[in-house]
Amino acid sequence: MVRIPTPLRSYTDGAAEVPAEGGTVAEVLTDLDTRHPGMAFRVVDEQGRLRPHMRIFVNRVVETDLGRALAPTDEVVLMQALSGG
């Protein structure tokens, strides 16, 4: 399961947690995009890099390596930074 931040829940029909599979963070994002089209583009840019305003936590630790291997029991959380002006 992947936890989804409120601003991206329009892609998941409002679901706060959705299933996704993959052996790496990148594979999980690809699976998310297959299940919820447009989701991956909000998290990674055209070069496949994590967008500056996004954070991915794996087991409560910030992860920047999209190639990081995941175990089936790992908790993945997407967070989106909010800013004001």
Side-chain angles (χ1 to χ4, degrees):
M1 295 294 274
V2 177
R3 293 182 53 197
I4 306 298
T6 303
L8 296 181
R9 291 182 189 166
S10 62
Y11 292 93
T12 62
D13 294 323
E17 290 187 349
V18 295
E21 298 177 0
T24 66
V25 173
E27 289 174 3
V28 165
L29 292 175
T30 298
D31 189 48
L32 271 177
D33 200 62
T34 299
R35 297 171 191 242
H36 307 283
M39 175 72 80
F41 184 71
R42 301 296 179 247
V43 180
V44 295
D45 64 18
E46 296 84 351
Q47 288 77 40
R49 294 183 301 229
L50 190 61
R51 291 188 181 278
H53 64 281
M54 292 300 301
R55 298 292 178 269
I56 298 175
F57 290 82
V58 176
N59 301 325
R60 299 183 182 196
V61 176
V62 174
E63 184 57 63
T64 58
D65 178 8
L66 298 180
R68 181 203 192 273
L70 296 173
T73 57
D74 285 343
E75 176 187 50
V76 178
V77 178
L78 302 181
M79 297 283 281
Q80 187 171 19
L82 300 176
S83 63

